[in-house]
């Protein structure tokens, strides 16, 4: 008997991107991701978070994911987990940094929560681009969870380059929009 | 167009359990989980980790999951993420501690890695039972990732009770078996 779980992305998502398109700069990659985070708010299909997996060198887009916790009913369906899992299914490997798959980069509009931080480490990606600061939690009320005090160094020690604060202000604007939309902040304990 | 990922559990798993069966004590719950972790080694279907979600009070078994990283090709398919996701799909909610779903407990044979630690927080469960110590990493070579120094307190502050070291020695025996089997230790960077 089958025993499995499945996480869907929203139907609008593939209309907004071209898998395989090349995004040369990290700014162009982040710009795509921020656009998708905003669309997830506009379409009311989830939290204000999006992520993309790119070939690090060429910028070829391998996968994207937007937050689907509410729609899927699966609390781990954060944007990062979705994008990484979709990339791994597409490339047929659990290791996005293996010699056969080549190096990959995850671009995400805001600092990963503690779960996604771990998911990034195990995914095999060798580069992370994101934005960092207390502003997202302050604006939205989402909880990132307890990251290790030396989380940057712990990434580096596992072979993951880290670039922070690319289009920081643009990323924040989407959180203000989410707050103003009155959409739920769905950390389980936050609902009580 | 559909855009999703799916994570299957191995075909033998549902033959070994009865969903809905009641396990009154935490020892009986852990005993089931350790048995499944060993079967995942014996059947060569994944890493030596298993988890179960139970109704905290009655001990009714809601879901189980075993590590499926290699079989699924998805690096986040750890036992805890699988068990929590399957429970959430079954109960139709992303919050396993909501008033409608009632309180749930996750039982896992060894201390969650940093990703699963976060997944536990977001899942809504209100009780965690596991085993703790450096022995698993020492025996197998798996990496747990950098947990926050005050990770126990951070769980408690989010309303999650924590009980450690239930059938500790029995849990460790499975890791020795895994090491002796020569099966892969598949942390992405550990493969290099």
């Amino acid at each position: 008997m089958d025993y499995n779980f499945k996480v869907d992305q929203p139907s609008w998502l593939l209309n907004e991107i071209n898998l395989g398109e090349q995004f040369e700069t990290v700014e162009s990659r982040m710009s795509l991701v921020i656009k998708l985070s905003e669309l997830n708010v506009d379409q009311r299909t989830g939290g204000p978070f999006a992520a993309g997996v790119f070939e690090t060198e060429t910028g070829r887009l391998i996968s994207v994911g937007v937050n689907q916790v509410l729609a899927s009913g699966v609390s781990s369906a954060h944007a990062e987990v979705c994008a990484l899992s979709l990339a791994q299914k597409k490339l047929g490997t659990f290791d996005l940094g293996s010699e056969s798959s080549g190096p990959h980069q995850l671009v995400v509009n805001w600092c990963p929560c503690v779960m996604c931080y771990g998911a990034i480490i195990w995914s095999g990606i060798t580069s992370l681009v994101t934005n960092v600061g207390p502003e997202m939690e302050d604006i939205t009320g989402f909880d990132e969870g307890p990251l290790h005090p030396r989380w940057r160094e712990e990434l580096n020690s596992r072979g993951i380059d880290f670039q922070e604060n690319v289009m920081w202000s643009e990323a924040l604007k989407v959180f203000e929009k989410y707050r103003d939309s009155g959409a739920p902040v769905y950390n389980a304990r936050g609902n009580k």
Side-chain angles (χ1 to χ4, degrees), chain A residues 6-156:
Chain A
K6 185 165 72 92
V7 175
D8 287 297
Q9 290 293 299
S11 56
W12 55 263
L13 182 58
L14 285 186
N15 295 330
E16 298 292 336
I17 60 162
N18 293 306
L19 292 175
E21 185 177 347
Q22 285 185 236
F23 295 79
E24 289 195 10
T25 65
V26 291
E27 289 78 13
S28 67
R29 301 172 198 181
M30 182 61 84
S31 181
L32 173 70
V33 164
I34 291 173
K35 182 181 93 167
L36 297 177
S37 75
E38 185 166 11
L39 280 167
N40 209 29
V41 177
D42 291 343
Q43 300 278 349
R44 303 189 79 83
T45 43
F49 304 104
V53 174
F54 301 84
E55 284 183 355
T56 307
E57 296 305 320
T58 66
R60 194 166 76 93
L61 179 62
I62 304 299
S63 69
V64 292
V66 294
N67 181 290
Q68 288 292 280
V69 172
L70 293 179
S72 69
V74 170
S75 59
S76 60
H78 288 199
E80 299 94 321
V81 168
C82 293
L84 293 167
S85 301
L86 288 161
Q88 291 171 333
K89 286 287 190 181
K90 179 173 181 168
L91 300 180
T93 174
F94 66 90
D95 184 356
L96 298 173
S98 69
E99 285 190 17
S100 60
S101 72
H104 288 86
Q105 178 178 76
L106 184 77
V107 181
V108 53
N109 60 317
W110 204 260
C111 188
C113 77
V114 61
M115 174 186 73
C116 292
Y117 175 80
I120 286 165
I121 295 177
W122 310 142
S123 73
I125 64 151
T126 53
S127 174
L128 172 64
V129 179
T130 190
N131 290 296
V132 178
E135 291 80 2
M136 184 282 288
E137 288 180 309
D138 291 347
I139 294 170
T140 63
F142 281 110
D143 178 7
E144 299 271 36
L147 285 177
H148 191 280
R150 289 171 51 81
W151 60 272
R152 290 176 178 82
E153 292 85 350
E154 294 279 350
L155 284 180
N156 290 152

